[in-house]
Amino acid sequence: MRILRTPEERFADLPDFPYEPRYADVPDGLRMAYVEAGPADGEPVVLLHGEPSWSFLYRHVMPELAAAGLRAIAVDLVGFGRSDKPADRAEHTYARHVEWTRALLFDALGLSRVTVVGQDWGGLIGLRISAEHPGGVARIVAANTGLPTGDIPMPEVWHRFRNAVLKAPVLDIARLVQAGCRTELSEDVRAAYDAPFPDESYKAGPRAMPSLVPITPDDPAAPANRAAWQVLTTLDRPFLVAFSDGDPITGDMAPILLKSISGTSGLRHPVIKGAGHFLQEDAGAELGRQIAAFVTST
């Protein structure tokens, strides 16, 4: 496996992101990065980002969790942020991303009673981890995400995004993030989203992720996702559905989760107003307050 590592100087002067990076080794000789906020002995809340962002996306969520006495841990998925980047798209598989992230949380960091928060691909990975290793999970938050099995068609807007990522000669990371936001991103914020990727050779992860989403029933990842659904529907863990009011990509998943997952029963599920697909960017503080209230009350 040919592995690229983004030079640290690319991450200088990040706006509103004062957190010192931490690192841990995971399988296949890779190093994953993460940042923390809040007391070290607080209940751990793991924040998993999606395509094509990184832990910087959670910079307005983390202070709210820390203020509530929680230990916020924002992870950079392999291929993103400060984490190592396999240079060959074929090295990125759904199963590998699940295992890399699981190994970070439970083997390297030794976490237990984790609240798993997933948005976009962070949900596709986090929901699988929660279903396959429920003993380490205390609660789950799904925020603009889902767990596709290929049995239900994806929306047309998602197919347009997938095709754009696959075919673009130059993948404009900041533009993709901006397209999923309702607020206008400043130049320094756009630069922060571009920072992990000095050139096209570093973008195998963002290039690969859309094609790893199961969109046909015979997709290699479909059986594992169906098995995860079977666990999640009856799992006795509090499950919060915290979607925005303006996500054309995953918005239809909210009612399915609410209807199917037993852990959603008896909870008040917020709708984050005025936010798009990247609700952490549009309404991060509000999302953070909702997650903190959920964790501290369950």
Side-chain angles (χ1 to χ4, degrees):
M1 183 183 295
R2 187 166 66 94
I3 300 170
L4 301 177
R5 184 170 292 176
T6 304
E8 183 58 33
E9 57 264 26
R10 293 277 301 181
F11 300 99
D13 301 321
L14 296 169
D16 301 319
F17 199 68
Y19 309 105
E20 287 295 319
R22 307 183 186 198
Y23 300 96
D25 295 329
V26 297
D28 300 311
L30 293 165
R31 186 181 77 169
M32 289 185 73
Y34 62 99
V35 294
E36 291 196 20
D41 60 351
E43 283 208 54
V45 179
V46 170
L47 306 167
L48 300 176
H49 69 85
E51 157 86 349
S53 62
W54 59 292
S55 58
F56 177 77
L57 182 68
Y58 283 101
R59 68 194 182 283
H60 299 310
V61 176
M62 295 175 69
E64 301 295 332
L65 302 179
L70 304 173
R71 180 187 178 191
I73 305 168
V75 173
D76 289 343
L77 299 179
V78 169
F80 298 82
R82 289 182 169 100
S83 288
D84 282 349
K85 299 170 179 65
D88 185 347
R89 276 174 48 187
E91 300 286 3
H92 294 266
T93 69
Y94 195 154
R96 272 182 159 175
H97 275 280
V98 171
E99 173 57 17
W100 288 328
T101 308
R102 182 212 64 80
L104 173 70
L105 302 184
F106 299 137
D107 297 345
L109 299 185
L111 299 177
S112 61
R113 288 191 51 78
V114 173
T115 297
V116 177
V117 179
Q119 183 261 341
D120 189 87
W121 256 102
L124 273 72
I125 294 169
L127 292 174
R128 278 277 297 275
I129 291 173
S130 299
E132 294 170 5
H133 306 278
V137 175
R139 301 169 201 82
I140 303 165
V141 180
N144 286 2
T145 192
L147 192 61
T149 61
D151 299 303
I152 299 174
M154 296 290 284
E156 180 58 33
V157 64
W158 183 86
H159 286 283
R160 292 198 299 269
F161 167 77
R162 179 179 185 270
N163 291 337
V165 170
L166 290 175
K167 296 177 181 179
V170 176
L171 195 60
D172 190 334
I173 300 295
R175 181 180 178 184
L176 292 176
V177 176
Q178 177 64 83
C181 298
R182 287 190 173 181
T183 51
E184 186 70 25
L185 303 183
S186 64
E187 286 303 314
D188 57 348
V189 168
R190 292 174 69 102
Y193 283 115
D194 285 329
F197 311 106
D199 59 49
E200 293 303 301
S201 67
Y202 287 77
K203 299 178 184 177
R207 290 277 191 185
M209 289 309 236
S211 62
L212 302 183
V213 176
I215 59 173
T216 60
D218 60 350
D219 185 279
N225 279 15
R226 291 192 194 100
W229 269 108
Q230 291 183 336
V231 173
L232 292 170
T233 53
T234 58
L235 187 64
D236 61 342
R237 301 290 189 279
F239 191 114
L240 187 72
V241 178
F243 276 47
S244 71
D245 63 351
D247 183 11
I249 298 175
T250 66
D252 290 345
M253 279 304 304
I256 296 173
L257 292 169
L258 290 168
K259 179 180 179 181
S260 305
I261 306 296
S262 62
T264 63
S265 180
L267 299 174
R268 187 185 68 83
H269 300 276
V271 175
I272 310 298
K273 298 189 180 302
H277 181 62
F278 294 108
L279 72 172
Q280 306 99 315
E281 190 64 55
D282 289 327
E286 175 61 17
L287 177 63
R289 287 189 288 269
Q290 295 289 348
I291 295 171
F294 167 63
V295 173
T296 56
S297 66
T298 50

